[in-house]
Amino acid sequence: MKKSKLSVLTGIATIFTFTFAGYETTQNVQQVDASSKIKVTYTLKVHNKTYKKKTVKLPKHSTVMRGLKKCWKIKSDRGLITSIAGKSQNPSKKIYWTYKINGKFAQKGAAIQKLANKDKIKFTLAKVNF
């Protein structure tokens, strides 16, 4: 009788161990997954009027271009963005897409500029005087 009680207790202990170990492992995976994402807000402006705005979650170390493609359909030519969400630039009128990160003009192209959590990206389609 003592052996069967011991077997039952051992079985119950084993079930608790696997149940809680599995729960802990799932929690750790979810925490790692959540910490490997960043949240970025994109705004499109056409002639200084806000046209569209979206917030997206991206993997850490994503580029501006990756997030932009996740938000809207874009066209590019040799790395330069020529159209976003159906709004195209017009070189003959000197109207181009430019972008700022957190209020400052970007120093790199959208395909190589890395993002950080809570960055605010603003693309503006307007006349540019060179």
Side-chain angles (χ1 to χ4, degrees):
M1 190 73 168
K2 285 186 180 185
K3 281 188 178 182
S4 67
K5 284 184 181 179
L6 184 59
S7 296
V8 170
L9 288 175
T10 304
I12 291 171
T14 303
I15 290 170
F16 275 120
T17 301
F18 284 120
T19 301
F20 289 115
Y23 175 76
E24 184 178 331
T25 303
T26 303
Q27 291 293 91
N28 289 341
V29 169
Q30 289 172 346
Q31 288 172 355
V32 169
D33 187 47
S35 68
S36 66
K37 298 281 185 178
I38 60 173
K39 190 186 255 188
V40 180
T41 301
Y42 284 84
T43 303
L44 299 184
K45 293 183 89 172
V46 177
H47 304 292
N48 292 323
K49 286 189 174 183
T50 298
Y51 173 64
K52 293 188 177 192
K53 187 174 187 175
K54 287 188 183 179
T55 299
V56 294
K57 287 186 180 179
L58 300 166
K60 278 186 179 178
H61 311 295
S62 290
T63 62
V64 170
M65 183 73 83
R66 182 174 183 168
L68 188 64
K69 285 181 178 180
K70 188 171 181 177
C71 292
W72 298 286
K73 183 178 179 183
I74 68 156
K75 292 181 184 176
S76 63
D77 181 25
R78 292 177 272 156
L80 298 174
I81 297 166
T82 59
S83 176
I84 305 172
K87 301 289 185 184
S88 297
Q89 58 188 27
N90 186 339
S92 65
K93 293 182 178 180
K94 297 183 180 180
I95 296 174
Y96 295 96
W97 280 107
T98 59
Y99 78 98
K100 292 181 179 181
I101 299 176
N102 302 319
K104 297 179 182 176
F105 278 105
Q107 300 299 312
K108 297 179 182 177
I112 58 172
Q113 178 65 54
K114 300 288 184 186
L115 294 167
N117 194 33
K118 298 182 182 178
D119 274 348
K120 294 188 184 340
I121 314 303
K122 188 178 294 183
F123 277 87
T124 303
L125 181 64
K127 188 170 185 170
V128 177
N129 295 318
F130 295 108

PDB file of all heavy atoms in Angstrom, residues 63-66 68-69 74-84 89 96-99 106-113 123:
ATOM      1  N   THR A  63      14.553  48.847 -40.902  1.00  0.00           N
ATOM      2  CA  THR A  63      14.825  50.104 -41.593  1.00  0.00           C
ATOM      3  C   THR A  63      13.531  50.882 -41.800  1.00  0.00           C
ATOM      4  O   THR A  63      12.426  50.331 -41.703  1.00  0.00           O
ATOM      5  CB  THR A  63      15.465  49.857 -42.966  1.00  0.00           C
ATOM      6  OG1 THR A  63      14.543  49.113 -43.778  1.00  0.00           O
ATOM      7  CG2 THR A  63      16.786  49.112 -42.846  1.00  0.00           C
ATOM      8  N   VAL A  64      13.674  52.148 -42.111  1.00  0.00           N
ATOM      9  CA  VAL A  64      12.530  53.004 -42.418  1.00  0.00           C
ATOM     10  C   VAL A  64      11.744  52.400 -43.580  1.00  0.00           C
ATOM     11  O   VAL A  64      10.514  52.360 -43.558  1.00  0.00           O
ATOM     12  CB  VAL A  64      13.005  54.442 -42.756  1.00  0.00           C
ATOM     13  CG1 VAL A  64      11.869  55.277 -43.320  1.00  0.00           C
ATOM     14  CG2 VAL A  64      13.610  55.100 -41.528  1.00  0.00           C
ATOM     15  N   MET A  65      12.449  51.920 -44.587  1.00  0.00           N
ATOM     16  CA  MET A  65      11.808  51.351 -45.778  1.00  0.00           C
ATOM     17  C   MET A  65      10.951  50.143 -45.425  1.00  0.00           C
ATOM     18  O   MET A  65       9.832  50.002 -45.931  1.00  0.00           O
ATOM     19  CB  MET A  65      12.867  50.956 -46.810  1.00  0.00           C
ATOM     20  CG  MET A  65      12.289  50.425 -48.111  1.00  0.00           C
ATOM     21  SD  MET A  65      11.545  51.701 -49.128  1.00  0.00           S
ATOM     22  CE  MET A  65      12.992  52.324 -49.940  1.00  0.00           C
ATOM     23  N   ARG A  66      11.440  49.278 -44.544  1.00  0.00           N
ATOM     24  CA  ARG A  66      10.687  48.072 -44.172  1.00  0.00           C
ATOM     25  C   ARG A  66       9.340  48.445 -43.547  1.00  0.00           C
ATOM     26  O   ARG A  66       8.307  47.877 -43.882  1.00  0.00           O
ATOM     27  CB  ARG A  66      11.497  47.213 -43.212  1.00  0.00           C
ATOM     28  CG  ARG A  66      10.787  45.934 -42.824  1.00  0.00           C
ATOM     29  CD  ARG A  66      11.663  45.043 -42.000  1.00  0.00           C
ATOM     30  NE  ARG A  66      10.975  43.800 -41.699  1.00  0.00           N
ATOM     31  CZ  ARG A  66      11.551  42.754 -41.191  1.00  0.00           C
ATOM     32  NH1 ARG A  66      12.840  42.769 -40.923  1.00  0.00           N
ATOM     33  NH2 ARG A  66      10.863  41.666 -40.942  1.00  0.00           N
ATOM     34  N   LEU A  68       7.762  51.314 -43.869  1.00  0.00           N
ATOM     35  CA  LEU A  68       6.971  52.018 -44.872  1.00  0.00           C
ATOM     36  C   LEU A  68       6.253  51.020 -45.778  1.00  0.00           C
ATOM     37  O   LEU A  68       5.061  51.165 -46.065  1.00  0.00           O
ATOM     38  CB  LEU A  68       7.872  52.943 -45.691  1.00  0.00           C
ATOM     39  CG  LEU A  68       7.185  53.894 -46.652  1.00  0.00           C
ATOM     40  CD1 LEU A  68       6.308  54.884 -45.903  1.00  0.00           C
ATOM     41  CD2 LEU A  68       8.241  54.638 -47.466  1.00  0.00           C
ATOM     42  N   LYS A  69       6.970  49.982 -46.198  1.00  0.00           N
ATOM     43  CA  LYS A  69       6.368  48.949 -47.050  1.00  0.00           C
ATOM     44  C   LYS A  69       5.280  48.180 -46.313  1.00  0.00           C
ATOM     45  O   LYS A  69       4.331  47.707 -46.933  1.00  0.00           O
ATOM     46  CB  LYS A  69       7.443  47.980 -47.547  1.00  0.00           C
ATOM     47  CG  LYS A  69       8.310  48.546 -48.635  1.00  0.00           C
ATOM     48  CD  LYS A  69       9.337  47.534 -49.086  1.00  0.00           C
ATOM     49  CE  LYS A  69      10.200  48.065 -50.209  1.00  0.00           C
ATOM     50  NZ  LYS A  69      11.201  47.065 -50.653  1.00  0.00           N
ATOM     51  N   ILE A  74       4.433  51.156 -52.014  1.00  0.00           N
ATOM     52  CA  ILE A  74       5.390  52.187 -52.423  1.00  0.00           C
ATOM     53  C   ILE A  74       6.033  51.814 -53.751  1.00  0.00           C
ATOM     54  O   ILE A  74       6.029  50.650 -54.155  1.00  0.00           O
ATOM     55  CB  ILE A  74       6.489  52.418 -51.367  1.00  0.00           C
ATOM     56  CG1 ILE A  74       7.402  51.204 -51.257  1.00  0.00           C
ATOM     57  CG2 ILE A  74       5.898  52.738 -50.023  1.00  0.00           C
ATOM     58  CD1 ILE A  74       8.761  51.574 -50.726  1.00  0.00           C
ATOM     59  N   LYS A  75       6.594  52.821 -54.406  1.00  0.00           N
ATOM     60  CA  LYS A  75       7.412  52.625 -55.609  1.00  0.00           C
ATOM     61  C   LYS A  75       8.722  53.339 -55.356  1.00  0.00           C
ATOM     62  O   LYS A  75       8.757  54.393 -54.718  1.00  0.00           O
ATOM     63  CB  LYS A  75       6.726  53.201 -56.845  1.00  0.00           C
ATOM     64  CG  LYS A  75       5.477  52.457 -57.251  1.00  0.00           C
ATOM     65  CD  LYS A  75       4.856  53.068 -58.493  1.00  0.00           C
ATOM     66  CE  LYS A  75       3.552  52.365 -58.842  1.00  0.00           C
ATOM     67  NZ  LYS A  75       2.898  52.995 -59.989  1.00  0.00           N
ATOM     68  N   SER A  76       9.791  52.741 -55.876  1.00  0.00           N
ATOM     69  CA  SER A  76      11.097  53.375 -55.729  1.00  0.00           C
ATOM     70  C   SER A  76      11.896  53.193 -57.013  1.00  0.00           C
ATOM     71  O   SER A  76      11.626  52.305 -57.815  1.00  0.00           O
ATOM     72  CB  SER A  76      11.854  52.799 -54.533  1.00  0.00           C
ATOM     73  OG  SER A  76      12.117  51.432 -54.726  1.00  0.00           O
ATOM     74  N   ASP A  77      12.859  54.060 -57.171  1.00  0.00           N
ATOM     75  CA  ASP A  77      13.741  54.019 -58.334  1.00  0.00           C
ATOM     76  C   ASP A  77      15.169  54.190 -57.839  1.00  0.00           C
ATOM     77  O   ASP A  77      15.512  55.254 -57.308  1.00  0.00           O
ATOM     78  CB  ASP A  77      13.356  55.137 -59.310  1.00  0.00           C
ATOM     79  CG  ASP A  77      14.217  55.143 -60.565  1.00  0.00           C
ATOM     80  OD1 ASP A  77      14.764  54.089 -60.931  1.00  0.00           O
ATOM     81  OD2 ASP A  77      14.339  56.225 -61.181  1.00  0.00           O
ATOM     82  N   ARG A  78      15.956  53.145 -57.959  1.00  0.00           N
ATOM     83  CA  ARG A  78      17.356  53.145 -57.518  1.00  0.00           C
ATOM     84  C   ARG A  78      17.500  53.579 -56.061  1.00  0.00           C
ATOM     85  O   ARG A  78      18.365  54.368 -55.709  1.00  0.00           O
ATOM     86  CB  ARG A  78      18.214  54.016 -58.432  1.00  0.00           C
ATOM     87  CG  ARG A  78      18.357  53.408 -59.839  1.00  0.00           C
ATOM     88  CD  ARG A  78      19.140  54.291 -60.740  1.00  0.00           C
ATOM     89  NE  ARG A  78      18.167  55.213 -61.339  1.00  0.00           N
ATOM     90  CZ  ARG A  78      18.452  56.394 -61.811  1.00  0.00           C
ATOM     91  NH1 ARG A  78      19.668  56.840 -61.789  1.00  0.00           N
ATOM     92  NH2 ARG A  78      17.525  57.150 -62.332  1.00  0.00           N
ATOM     93  N   GLY A  79      16.578  53.102 -55.216  1.00  0.00           N
ATOM     94  CA  GLY A  79      16.658  53.376 -53.789  1.00  0.00           C
ATOM     95  C   GLY A  79      15.931  54.624 -53.339  1.00  0.00           C
ATOM     96  O   GLY A  79      15.761  54.855 -52.149  1.00  0.00           O
ATOM     97  N   LEU A  80      15.491  55.462 -54.284  1.00  0.00           N
ATOM     98  CA  LEU A  80      14.754  56.674 -53.933  1.00  0.00           C
ATOM     99  C   LEU A  80      13.253  56.411 -54.031  1.00  0.00           C
ATOM    100  O   LEU A  80      12.776  55.857 -55.019  1.00  0.00           O
ATOM    101  CB  LEU A  80      15.133  57.827 -54.861  1.00  0.00           C
ATOM    102  CG  LEU A  80      16.594  58.263 -54.821  1.00  0.00           C
ATOM    103  CD1 LEU A  80      16.849  59.309 -55.888  1.00  0.00           C
ATOM    104  CD2 LEU A  80      16.956  58.794 -53.451  1.00  0.00           C
ATOM    105  N   ILE A  81      12.521  56.822 -53.035  1.00  0.00           N
ATOM    106  CA  ILE A  81      11.078  56.615 -53.009  1.00  0.00           C
ATOM    107  C   ILE A  81      10.429  57.603 -53.966  1.00  0.00           C
ATOM    108  O   ILE A  81      10.643  58.815 -53.869  1.00  0.00           O
ATOM    109  CB  ILE A  81      10.546  56.792 -51.576  1.00  0.00           C
ATOM    110  CG1 ILE A  81      11.162  55.724 -50.680  1.00  0.00           C
ATOM    111  CG2 ILE A  81       9.026  56.728 -51.552  1.00  0.00           C
ATOM    112  CD1 ILE A  81      11.003  55.973 -49.211  1.00  0.00           C
ATOM    113  N   THR A  82       9.627  57.066 -54.895  1.00  0.00           N
ATOM    114  CA  THR A  82       8.973  57.920 -55.884  1.00  0.00           C
ATOM    115  C   THR A  82       7.464  58.010 -55.678  1.00  0.00           C
ATOM    116  O   THR A  82       6.840  58.950 -56.159  1.00  0.00           O
ATOM    117  CB  THR A  82       9.261  57.413 -57.313  1.00  0.00           C
ATOM    118  OG1 THR A  82       8.786  56.067 -57.431  1.00  0.00           O
ATOM    119  CG2 THR A  82      10.746  57.475 -57.627  1.00  0.00           C
ATOM    120  N   SER A  83       6.880  57.044 -54.966  1.00  0.00           N
ATOM    121  CA  SER A  83       5.439  57.043 -54.749  1.00  0.00           C
ATOM    122  C   SER A  83       5.113  56.312 -53.451  1.00  0.00           C
ATOM    123  O   SER A  83       5.680  55.252 -53.181  1.00  0.00           O
ATOM    124  CB  SER A  83       4.733  56.364 -55.925  1.00  0.00           C
ATOM    125  OG  SER A  83       3.348  56.273 -55.696  1.00  0.00           O
ATOM    126  N   ILE A  84       4.208  56.896 -52.666  1.00  0.00           N
ATOM    127  CA  ILE A  84       3.732  56.262 -51.438  1.00  0.00           C
ATOM    128  C   ILE A  84       2.214  56.373 -51.426  1.00  0.00           C
ATOM    129  O   ILE A  84       1.667  57.469 -51.595  1.00  0.00           O
ATOM    130  CB  ILE A  84       4.293  56.948 -50.170  1.00  0.00           C
ATOM    131  CG1 ILE A  84       5.818  56.998 -50.192  1.00  0.00           C
ATOM    132  CG2 ILE A  84       3.790  56.245 -48.918  1.00  0.00           C
ATOM    133  CD1 ILE A  84       6.424  57.829 -49.064  1.00  0.00           C
ATOM    134  N   GLN A  89       5.802  61.672 -56.685  1.00  0.00           N
ATOM    135  CA  GLN A  89       6.555  62.919 -56.816  1.00  0.00           C
ATOM    136  C   GLN A  89       6.528  63.369 -58.273  1.00  0.00           C
ATOM    137  O   GLN A  89       6.200  62.593 -59.170  1.00  0.00           O
ATOM    138  CB  GLN A  89       7.963  62.760 -56.290  1.00  0.00           C
ATOM    139  CG  GLN A  89       8.803  61.688 -56.945  1.00  0.00           C
ATOM    140  CD  GLN A  89      10.121  61.492 -56.206  1.00  0.00           C
ATOM    141  OE1 GLN A  89      10.226  61.747 -55.029  1.00  0.00           O
ATOM    142  NE2 GLN A  89      11.124  61.045 -56.925  1.00  0.00           N
ATOM    143  N   TYR A  96       9.049  66.417 -54.417  1.00  0.00           N
ATOM    144  CA  TYR A  96       9.688  65.163 -54.028  1.00  0.00           C
ATOM    145  C   TYR A  96       9.216  64.717 -52.646  1.00  0.00           C
ATOM    146  O   TYR A  96       8.741  65.526 -51.845  1.00  0.00           O
ATOM    147  CB  TYR A  96      11.211  65.335 -53.971  1.00  0.00           C
ATOM    148  CG  TYR A  96      11.837  65.641 -55.304  1.00  0.00           C
ATOM    149  CD1 TYR A  96      12.112  66.947 -55.682  1.00  0.00           C
ATOM    150  CD2 TYR A  96      12.160  64.616 -56.192  1.00  0.00           C
ATOM    151  CE1 TYR A  96      12.692  67.234 -56.907  1.00  0.00           C
ATOM    152  CE2 TYR A  96      12.736  64.891 -57.414  1.00  0.00           C
ATOM    153  CZ  TYR A  96      13.007  66.194 -57.769  1.00  0.00           C
ATOM    154  OH  TYR A  96      13.570  66.473 -58.981  1.00  0.00           O
ATOM    155  N   TRP A  97       9.430  63.433 -52.384  1.00  0.00           N
ATOM    156  CA  TRP A  97       9.215  62.882 -51.052  1.00  0.00           C
ATOM    157  C   TRP A  97      10.477  63.115 -50.227  1.00  0.00           C
ATOM    158  O   TRP A  97      11.572  62.807 -50.672  1.00  0.00           O
ATOM    159  CB  TRP A  97       8.941  61.372 -51.094  1.00  0.00           C
ATOM    160  CG  TRP A  97       7.543  61.017 -51.457  1.00  0.00           C
ATOM    161  CD1 TRP A  97       7.112  60.493 -52.640  1.00  0.00           C
ATOM    162  CD2 TRP A  97       6.386  61.135 -50.629  1.00  0.00           C
ATOM    163  NE1 TRP A  97       5.759  60.293 -52.614  1.00  0.00           N
ATOM    164  CE2 TRP A  97       5.288  60.676 -51.373  1.00  0.00           C
ATOM    165  CE3 TRP A  97       6.170  61.598 -49.332  1.00  0.00           C
ATOM    166  CZ2 TRP A  97       3.990  60.653 -50.865  1.00  0.00           C
ATOM    167  CZ3 TRP A  97       4.883  61.577 -48.821  1.00  0.00           C
ATOM    168  CH2 TRP A  97       3.811  61.109 -49.585  1.00  0.00           C
ATOM    169  N   THR A  98      10.331  63.669 -49.046  1.00  0.00           N
ATOM    170  CA  THR A  98      11.426  63.783 -48.078  1.00  0.00           C
ATOM    171  C   THR A  98      10.907  63.198 -46.766  1.00  0.00           C
ATOM    172  O   THR A  98       9.695  63.034 -46.591  1.00  0.00           O
ATOM    173  CB  THR A  98      11.848  65.247 -47.856  1.00  0.00           C
ATOM    174  OG1 THR A  98      10.730  65.993 -47.379  1.00  0.00           O
ATOM    175  CG2 THR A  98      12.393  65.861 -49.136  1.00  0.00           C
ATOM    176  N   TYR A  99      11.834  62.888 -45.853  1.00  0.00           N
ATOM    177  CA  TYR A  99      11.350  62.382 -44.571  1.00  0.00           C
ATOM    178  C   TYR A  99      12.199  62.857 -43.404  1.00  0.00           C
ATOM    179  O   TYR A  99      13.366  63.198 -43.564  1.00  0.00           O
ATOM    180  CB  TYR A  99      11.227  60.858 -44.583  1.00  0.00           C
ATOM    181  CG  TYR A  99      12.490  60.054 -44.433  1.00  0.00           C
ATOM    182  CD1 TYR A  99      12.852  59.537 -43.190  1.00  0.00           C
ATOM    183  CD2 TYR A  99      13.299  59.766 -45.518  1.00  0.00           C
ATOM    184  CE1 TYR A  99      13.994  58.765 -43.045  1.00  0.00           C
ATOM    185  CE2 TYR A  99      14.426  58.991 -45.387  1.00  0.00           C
ATOM    186  CZ  TYR A  99      14.778  58.494 -44.144  1.00  0.00           C
ATOM    187  OH  TYR A  99      15.909  57.732 -44.006  1.00  0.00           O
ATOM    188  N   ALA A 106      16.336  63.277 -42.148  1.00  0.00           N
ATOM    189  CA  ALA A 106      17.156  62.068 -42.149  1.00  0.00           C
ATOM    190  C   ALA A 106      18.475  62.309 -42.864  1.00  0.00           C
ATOM    191  O   ALA A 106      18.529  63.059 -43.848  1.00  0.00           O
ATOM    192  CB  ALA A 106      16.397  60.940 -42.828  1.00  0.00           C
ATOM    193  N   GLN A 107      19.508  61.686 -42.367  1.00  0.00           N
ATOM    194  CA  GLN A 107      20.832  61.803 -42.969  1.00  0.00           C
ATOM    195  C   GLN A 107      21.176  60.607 -43.847  1.00  0.00           C
ATOM    196  O   GLN A 107      22.215  60.590 -44.505  1.00  0.00           O
ATOM    197  CB  GLN A 107      21.895  61.948 -41.868  1.00  0.00           C
ATOM    198  CG  GLN A 107      21.694  63.177 -40.991  1.00  0.00           C
ATOM    199  CD  GLN A 107      21.775  64.465 -41.769  1.00  0.00           C
ATOM    200  OE1 GLN A 107      22.695  64.675 -42.550  1.00  0.00           O
ATOM    201  NE2 GLN A 107      20.796  65.335 -41.579  1.00  0.00           N
ATOM    202  N   LYS A 108      20.292  59.590 -43.845  1.00  0.00           N
ATOM    203  CA  LYS A 108      20.520  58.372 -44.629  1.00  0.00           C
ATOM    204  C   LYS A 108      19.263  58.049 -45.418  1.00  0.00           C
ATOM    205  O   LYS A 108      18.168  58.490 -45.071  1.00  0.00           O
ATOM    206  CB  LYS A 108      20.831  57.194 -43.703  1.00  0.00           C
ATOM    207  CG  LYS A 108      22.095  57.355 -42.898  1.00  0.00           C
ATOM    208  CD  LYS A 108      22.302  56.160 -41.988  1.00  0.00           C
ATOM    209  CE  LYS A 108      23.549  56.341 -41.134  1.00  0.00           C
ATOM    210  NZ  LYS A 108      23.721  55.238 -40.196  1.00  0.00           N
ATOM    211  N   GLY A 109      19.449  57.241 -46.466  1.00  0.00           N
ATOM    212  CA  GLY A 109      18.306  56.784 -47.245  1.00  0.00           C
ATOM    213  C   GLY A 109      17.416  55.855 -46.437  1.00  0.00           C
ATOM    214  O   GLY A 109      17.863  55.211 -45.488  1.00  0.00           O
ATOM    215  N   ALA A 110      16.154  55.772 -46.833  1.00  0.00           N
ATOM    216  CA  ALA A 110      15.173  54.968 -46.101  1.00  0.00           C
ATOM    217  C   ALA A 110      15.538  53.483 -46.069  1.00  0.00           C
ATOM    218  O   ALA A 110      15.178  52.776 -45.137  1.00  0.00           O
ATOM    219  CB  ALA A 110      13.794  55.151 -46.720  1.00  0.00           C
ATOM    220  N   ALA A 111      16.268  53.010 -47.063  1.00  0.00           N
ATOM    221  CA  ALA A 111      16.627  51.596 -47.125  1.00  0.00           C
ATOM    222  C   ALA A 111      17.727  51.214 -46.133  1.00  0.00           C
ATOM    223  O   ALA A 111      17.892  50.035 -45.818  1.00  0.00           O
ATOM    224  CB  ALA A 111      17.066  51.220 -48.538  1.00  0.00           C
ATOM    225  N   ILE A 112      18.466  52.203 -45.617  1.00  0.00           N
ATOM    226  CA  ILE A 112      19.539  51.880 -44.670  1.00  0.00           C
ATOM    227  C   ILE A 112      19.362  52.517 -43.294  1.00  0.00           C
ATOM    228  O   ILE A 112      20.010  52.115 -42.336  1.00  0.00           O
ATOM    229  CB  ILE A 112      20.932  52.245 -45.231  1.00  0.00           C
ATOM    230  CG1 ILE A 112      21.012  53.713 -45.583  1.00  0.00           C
ATOM    231  CG2 ILE A 112      21.279  51.379 -46.420  1.00  0.00           C
ATOM    232  CD1 ILE A 112      22.405  54.173 -45.968  1.00  0.00           C
ATOM    233  N   GLN A 113      18.470  53.481 -43.181  1.00  0.00           N
ATOM    234  CA  GLN A 113      18.242  54.146 -41.899  1.00  0.00           C
ATOM    235  C   GLN A 113      17.546  53.199 -40.924  1.00  0.00           C
ATOM    236  O   GLN A 113      16.442  52.752 -41.170  1.00  0.00           O
ATOM    237  CB  GLN A 113      17.389  55.408 -42.084  1.00  0.00           C
ATOM    238  CG  GLN A 113      17.067  56.141 -40.797  1.00  0.00           C
ATOM    239  CD  GLN A 113      18.309  56.709 -40.125  1.00  0.00           C
ATOM    240  OE1 GLN A 113      19.066  57.438 -40.741  1.00  0.00           O
ATOM    241  NE2 GLN A 113      18.494  56.369 -38.868  1.00  0.00           N
ATOM    242  N   PHE A 123       6.880  61.471 -43.613  1.00  0.00           N
ATOM    243  CA  PHE A 123       7.189  61.649 -45.034  1.00  0.00           C
ATOM    244  C   PHE A 123       6.337  62.789 -45.554  1.00  0.00           C
ATOM    245  O   PHE A 123       5.138  62.848 -45.313  1.00  0.00           O
ATOM    246  CB  PHE A 123       6.867  60.373 -45.821  1.00  0.00           C
ATOM    247  CG  PHE A 123       7.952  59.348 -45.766  1.00  0.00           C
ATOM    248  CD1 PHE A 123       8.001  58.425 -44.739  1.00  0.00           C
ATOM    249  CD2 PHE A 123       8.938  59.313 -46.738  1.00  0.00           C
ATOM    250  CE1 PHE A 123       8.999  57.476 -44.689  1.00  0.00           C
ATOM    251  CE2 PHE A 123       9.956  58.372 -46.692  1.00  0.00           C
ATOM    252  CZ  PHE A 123       9.978  57.447 -45.657  1.00  0.00           C
TER     253      PHE A 123
END
